[in-house]
Amino acid sequence: MPMNAHDIEKMIKEEIPDAIVSIRDLAGDGDHYAAEIVSESFRGKSRVQQHQMVYKALRGNMGGELHALALQTSAPK
């Protein structure tokens, strides 16, 4: 069963409480999403480290219930 955008946002915010999360369903199928995540906790971290933080928040659902997630991460300006 695919994940919905609300569940993805909730999981990310539970792990990264200050995150501002915007999620779009790219294909309308509940399997392909794009997420833009802004968090102070990303400051000073590489893009890979930022993405690893998000994948950790998704608790192993990436590649399973969540088929595809295009990530855009950044610290606040």
Side-chain angles (χ1 to χ4, degrees):
M1 179 178 197
M3 293 183 73
N4 66 51
H6 178 268
D7 290 340
I8 296 167
E9 180 177 350
K10 182 180 173 192
M11 293 174 87
I12 292 169
K13 286 187 172 188
E14 284 174 358
E15 185 75 22
I16 309 169
D18 73 321
I20 299 168
V21 181
S22 173
I23 297 179
R24 291 180 296 125
D25 187 339
L26 296 175
D29 60 3
D31 264 349
H32 299 83
Y33 291 99
E36 183 177 341
I37 305 160
V38 179
S39 171
E40 184 61 40
S41 64
F42 293 152
R43 191 170 307 281
K45 292 185 173 50
S46 71
R47 180 107 24 205
V48 170
Q49 290 170 317
Q50 294 172 16
H51 289 200
Q52 287 172 335
M53 291 171 67
V54 175
Y55 293 143
K56 179 183 176 200
L58 296 173
R59 301 182 206 125
N61 286 299
M62 192 67 223
E65 288 184 50
L66 180 55
H67 179 71
L69 180 65
L71 287 177
Q72 206 174 5
T73 56
S74 65
K77 294 180 182 177

